[in-house]
Each structure stands twice: as C-alpha cells, then as structure tokens.
Amino acid sequence: LEKATSPTDGGWSLTSLAHRSFAFAQSGMSLSAPFGNAVANSHEALQFLDGYGKNYSLPLSSVAGQLSQTRTSYDRLDQLAGMDDDNSMAMKDGAMLHFSTQTPQAHGSGNADGKISKLSYSSPLPLGGADREAEVTFNYKMNLADAVVPVSQRGVTGEALKNPYLQLAEGMNSSVAALRQGSSTLTVAGYYGSLGHDDYNYRFSTGKNISGMYSEVAWRPFPAATITVDSGMSVEKNSLLGSEASGAFGIDRAATYYTGIAGRYALSDHVVLIANYHSGLTQVSADSSSLINGFDTISTNAFAIGGEWAGIAGERDTLGLVMSQPLRVNKGSAGLVLPVGVGANGDMQYAQSNLNLAPTGREMDFETYYTLKHDDSSSLGLDAMLRLQPDNTLAGPETTILAKYTLHLKPNLLKNLHW
C-alpha cells in the first residue's frame, strides 16, 4: 500500500503549462546554504498525476527543499587533518611545486592511498625593470579561493576571510597570473570544473559544471596596510549558487557577477586587523518548458572581520578571532506556474505563484584559532567555531572544537626504529 501511494514509485509525473510531462522521481529543486530556509517558508502546493491520470496534492517544500551538504563537523576535521603545505619541491629557474596527498577521513571512512589530491605549479616570469616581478601558476583540483592566496598564508582556518564566490568553485582546475609593480599587484585567473557528489548530496545525475574569470588589484598605500579590490563572474550549468535543480524545476544556466573589497592593517609587529565585504548579482535562465517561468535578479552578500595576534607565548604562535556572515541571499524570487487541480474536462489547471528566495535565517559564525610551531618538526593547531542559525535556517547553534598535532619524524630516527 505504501509503494502504491508513494509518488517516488511507479509512473508518477508532473505536467507543466507547456504540456510537457516530467517524471516525478527526477524532478526537484534543492537550494544551497545561501538560500537557507526560503523554500521551507513556502505554503504553495502542486498537483501530480499517477499512471491512471488521478491527481494528488503535495506541498512544494517536499520537492523543492534545502540541499543537504555533506560538509559537516567531521569534514572540517578532515580538512584540519589533511591539509599540509609542507609538500613542496623547489625546481630550476625559481619554479615551485606544491602538492597534497589524500588522507583518511576523520570519521573512519576512506583510505589514504598516497594519491595527489591537489597540485600547484608556479613559475616566475622574466621581466625588465626594477621593483617589478610576475608569476604564473597552474592549479589542479584546488579551490580557487585558496589558489589566489599566497602559499605562506594558506591554513586550515580563516575560510571566512577568503572570497565566498570563489569557494563555490571547489576542486577546480585554474590558471593564475600575477604582476607586481612597486606597491601594487594585479592578479587575474580563470577556472573550470564539474560539481560532484563529494561536496553535496546531489540526488540527480544531471551534469553540473562551473567556469569563471577573476581579477583583483592589491595596493599597499603604506607598509602597514593593504587594500584589495576584486571582481569576477562565474557561470553555472544546471546549478544555481551550488543548488541543484532537475526535471520539472530545471535550471539551464546561472551567471553571477560579484565584487568585493578587503583590507589588512597591522597595528603593530604582532597585531593585524582583517576585514572584507563581497556582494553579487545572479541572473538565471530556467528551462522554458519547466514549472519555473523566470527568476528575478538574485542579490547576495557576505562579510567578515577579525584579527590575528602573533607572539602570544613565544615567537612561533598565532591567535586569531573572526566574526563572519557566510554567503546569503538578500533579495530574489522565482516565478512558478504550478499545477493546482484538474478541471471537469480532465485538463490540468495552473496558477501563477512567486517563491521568495531570501531566507528568514541569517548565519553568523564566531571562530577562534591558535597555532603553535614548536620547532621545524612539530606544530599544534586548535580551532573552535560557533555557528548561529547554521546554513541560514532557524536551527539551533552548532559548536565545533578541533585540535591537531603534527610531528615530522626525521629519516635518521626512522632508521633507528628499523622503519
């Protein structure tokens, strides 16, 4: 009886105003964290048909809900355990090769097999003139938000201090070129890749990819301060800011244009203040035969402010505090033409509806981290984060506390242990 009356089994279907029929099991919209609980607040309903033409009513929120991210506290622990920038090789003519290898997941699933999970190759370019230098970098399966950050500044913390739109381009292949002239630096980058099940619990097999261009100008008006202005665009196929849509809710293409400003100011040799703000506009093209007949321009933003204190208990430790709002939709809506009933003549009846895509929740994160490098072979990392209204929903707070200790065994020690 349950299978006979479940819309996920059998020949259930949804029919659009364009008289196109979509399989119910392959139709849905799962919105990512920037949209939060937007769909959950909807009271809309739609009609679907069984194989005999009988109509049933179902809440829109049951087929267009929130995307479940696989990135949990465990995955933050994976990142803490797995990230290691010590894997580097100096090559001729000043070129450098940085890479990371796969590590087992913190909660026990997955095996470390030594395969390279990320790779970055950088090489300086010969330029004439004093106080002038250039570099080109090629990255393999690396988040571009990390790729545009100097290797010396990459770490397991401070994700909120990076460009939030570039963080949507997870595991991409990219090329980065940087030119420094005096106190100013120009950086341009391009990237392309596919979005997969590693980052989200995607239900549908529809191919999703993202590509884009990025540029930034960093200026040091005086030695203690750095101001960075960036801008870029990204184009998603079958995706919307990391969301998933398929079948009767199909999305063809989404183009996001964003800009931001970031600042870094050293109050002293040991204290640095950091802040950034980013804003973007997204234009969406929906499948013309789907239940969606158009999107308003979607407005999003994110910001962060924090500080770092070096030399708290010695010369090799750093304490950081960061408050941030992750990427969130401020304004935007989707027009829907939903099947709402069946007339006496058997024809499906439709009604226009408007879905507000702005969530009522607002995630605010408070993070503190501490790093201590005892010597060249050992280091300690501590990280604690409090998330209020996580994923822009009205859910209760979430707290994560992580610790990492790294010890590099020297070859002569391994030899004495007969390893």
Side-chain angles (χ1 to χ4, degrees):
L1 179 62
E2 180 179 356
K3 287 187 176 182
T5 57
S6 171
T8 58
D9 291 300
W12 307 93
S13 64
L14 287 165
T15 303
S16 69
L17 185 61
H19 303 292
R20 181 179 175 185
S21 181
F22 297 90
F24 187 95
Q26 296 299 317
S27 296
M29 175 182 285
S30 299
L31 298 179
S32 56
F35 297 92
N37 59 353
V39 175
N41 295 330
S42 172
H43 300 289
E44 302 293 338
L46 69 162
Q47 300 280 314
F48 61 93
L49 303 175
D50 64 12
Y52 300 98
K54 170 63 179 174
N55 62 303
Y56 297 85
S57 181
L58 198 70
L60 175 64
S61 58
S62 64
V63 293
Q66 188 174 15
L67 187 67
S68 175
Q69 284 188 291
T70 62
R71 288 191 163 190
T72 63
S73 299
Y74 285 124
D75 296 277
R76 292 190 64 232
L77 187 58
D78 289 343
Q79 184 184 25
L80 184 72
M83 181 170 289
D84 190 351
D85 287 323
D86 290 338
N87 297 321
S88 60
M89 296 174 57
M91 309 180 76
K92 64 178 182 178
D93 299 326
M96 292 291 297
L97 183 67
H98 303 273
F99 62 94
S100 299
T101 55
Q102 293 180 358
T103 58
Q105 293 185 349
H107 48 289
S109 60
N111 298 311
D113 52 15
K115 292 183 178 179
I116 293 178
S117 57
K118 296 179 181 179
L119 186 144
S120 176
Y121 171 80
S122 59
S123 176
L125 299 177
L127 289 179
D131 200 17
R132 187 181 184 188
E133 59 185 11
E135 182 181 70
V136 61
T137 305
F138 302 97
N139 304 292
Y140 169 74
K141 290 188 176 181
M142 179 179 290
N143 190 322
L144 188 60
D146 292 324
V148 296
V149 175
V151 173
S152 61
Q153 298 180 21
R154 294 176 193 166
V156 296
T157 56
E159 294 295 317
L161 301 174
K162 301 174 185 176
N163 188 303
Y165 297 95
L166 292 183
Q167 294 199 61
L168 295 173
E170 179 72 24
M172 301 287 118
N173 300 326
S174 61
S175 300
V176 183
L179 171 64
R180 185 186 66 81
Q181 175 70 56
S183 60
S184 300
T185 302
L186 170 65
T187 302
V188 294
Y191 58 92
Y192 175 84
S194 299
L195 301 172
H197 292 264
D198 293 339
D199 302 313
Y200 298 97
N201 284 323
Y202 285 137
R203 293 186 297 153
F204 309 115
S205 60
T206 306
K208 308 167 192 64
N209 58 62
I210 181 171
S211 60
M213 298 293 295
Y214 170 82
S215 65
E216 72 170 37
V217 176
W219 176 52
R220 298 184 64 185
F222 47 92
T226 302
I227 300 173
T228 302
V229 178
D230 61 53
S231 62
M233 68 166 293
S234 65
V235 178
E236 298 172 82
K237 179 69 175 178
N238 297 321
S239 179
L240 170 59
L241 295 175
S243 300
E244 179 187 36
S246 180
F249 298 90
I251 293 175
D252 180 38
R253 179 178 176 271
T256 300
Y257 306 87
Y258 58 86
T259 187
I261 184 171
R264 183 181 181 93
Y265 180 73
L267 295 177
S268 68
D269 293 338
H270 299 282
V271 181
V272 176
L273 298 181
I274 310 169
N276 66 30
Y277 177 85
H278 286 86
S279 178
L281 297 175
T282 302
Q283 298 176 340
V284 190
S285 299
D287 187 331
S288 60
S289 61
S290 72
L291 299 179
I292 305 176
N293 68 346
F295 285 84
D296 289 340
T297 299
I298 300 172
S299 171
T300 52
N301 76 343
F303 61 84
I305 184 171
E308 288 187 345
W309 290 262
I312 300 296
E315 297 181 355
R316 296 191 172 192
D317 66 339
T318 302
L319 173 67
L321 299 172
V322 180
M323 179 186 73
S324 64
Q325 178 211 278
L327 196 62
R328 179 181 183 272
V329 173
N330 296 320
K331 184 180 179 182
S333 61
L336 305 174
V337 180
L338 300 178
V340 295
V342 176
N345 60 355
D347 292 339
M348 186 65 73
Q349 298 174 333
Y350 297 86
Q352 179 76 37
S353 178
N354 197 58
L355 176 62
N356 182 12
L357 296 176
T360 57
R362 182 187 295 272
E363 178 175 346
M364 292 297 300
D365 295 344
F366 300 87
E367 181 179 12
T368 179
Y369 53 90
Y370 178 77
T371 60
L372 172 62
K373 191 170 184 179
H374 296 293
D375 49 45
D376 293 336
S377 62
S378 62
S379 61
L380 172 68
L382 303 174
D383 182 281
M385 176 177 284
L386 171 64
R387 301 174 65 202
L388 303 180
Q389 299 186 357
D391 295 332
N392 296 307
T393 67
L394 299 180
E398 175 186 292
T399 304
T400 308
I401 300 176
L402 307 173
K404 173 186 177 179
Y405 180 76
T406 303
L407 175 63
H408 295 280
L409 299 178
K410 297 181 179 179
N412 57 347
L413 176 60
L414 298 178
K415 183 177 180 180
N416 293 335
L417 294 175
H418 304 289
W419 288 3

